[in-house]
Amino acid sequence: MRRVLVLGISGAGKSTLARELERRLGLPFHELDALHFTGPGWAVNPAFAEDTARVAGADRWVLDGQGPEAVRDLMWERADTVVWLDLGRAVVMRRVVLRSLRRSLRRERLFGGNRESWREWLRADHPVWWAWARYADRRAEIGRRAGDPRYAPLRVVRLRSPREAEAWLRERLPHGTALAAPDTPSCQDEGPSSPRT
């Protein structure tokens, strides 16, 4: 497990899990949204595809997020492991609503120095509305890619609840886990879910 892509819809907990993998495995963590949004007014990085390709081309990393379609194939081709947070819609929506409320109330600085404002709650691309509208599509796309032979021998760990994610971390990646060599047999162990499910 050297190049790990953490996926799921907005609010699933991708960044939290990716940071934990960074801590436990010593992998450099890259937040896809931070690569994508680099300026005020949610300005998009004009070199986003190149920057993502540079990160994905490295030997070791953990990335959170699906990203725009232009970079998805590249990330899937380079990853050796996908950790899919396939949480139920109710769990995701509770999380994304609470996160956006917190960000708006506290005026938290996000990618490129941006902040979620109350006015943005009225936009269709606000994380809350986006997560609701795109939940089924995003889930279907990840499922299709997880079963696509183009990405073999990719390992897919599908975690369907916060409890299952915690158990996977506890049982498969206990604190102090050393980074395994690329061909170490223990890398094949999928934890609570089976490959490509």
Side-chain angles (χ1 to χ4, degrees):
M1 196 181 305
R2 301 178 68 87
R3 294 180 302 280
V4 185
L5 190 54
V6 181
L7 299 178
I9 194 73
S10 293
K14 298 182 300 295
S15 297
T16 302
L17 181 60
R19 286 190 179 101
E20 189 62 21
L21 292 174
E22 172 193 33
R23 195 169 68 80
R24 295 188 186 211
L25 297 175
L27 297 171
F29 166 63
H30 302 277
E31 196 165 14
L32 213 56
D33 282 341
L35 290 172
H36 192 244
F37 298 109
T38 54
W42 301 99
V44 173
N45 175 9
F48 172 71
E50 294 84 1
D51 290 348
T52 305
R54 178 183 43 78
V55 170
D59 288 336
R60 301 168 59 248
W61 44 261
V62 58
L63 267 165
D64 74 330
Q66 181 96 329
E69 201 162 331
V71 299
R72 288 181 198 163
D73 285 346
L74 171 68
M75 294 188 310
W76 279 79
E77 288 163 2
R78 286 289 298 151
D80 62 32
T81 305
V82 166
V83 179
W84 177 11
L85 288 169
D86 185 21
L87 309 186
R89 191 191 291 257
V91 172
V92 166
M93 291 311 301
R94 180 176 52 80
R95 285 181 168 190
V96 75
V97 167
L98 290 174
R99 183 185 72 184
S100 283
L101 283 171
R102 186 196 73 231
R103 286 175 172 179
S104 297
L105 284 167
R106 295 183 181 171
R107 303 286 295 142
E108 291 179 14
R109 289 176 62 88
L110 302 170
F111 330 105
N114 291 287
R115 293 178 166 89
E116 279 190 35
S117 69
W118 295 110
R119 182 179 56 237
E120 288 171 345
W121 282 72
L122 302 175
R123 294 173 39 170
D125 64 350
H126 184 273
V128 169
W129 313 126
W130 191 92
W132 178 263
R134 296 295 310 272
Y135 177 85
D137 291 343
R138 175 57 49 89
R139 195 165 179 255
E141 181 184 356
I142 296 171
R144 277 193 306 273
R145 286 181 177 268
D148 191 327
R150 288 183 301 162
Y151 306 120
L154 182 71
R155 291 178 296 279
V156 176
V157 180
R158 186 175 185 180
L159 304 170
R160 294 177 175 88
S161 71
R163 181 175 294 172
E164 197 170 287
E166 290 167 13
W168 178 72
L169 280 172
R170 185 176 58 251
E171 295 164 13
R172 303 299 176 193
L173 299 171
H175 291 284
T177 299
L179 185 63
D183 297 323
T184 301
S186 63
C187 290
Q188 303 298 323
D189 197 350
E190 297 300 323
S193 47
S194 57
R196 304 196 177 281
T197 60

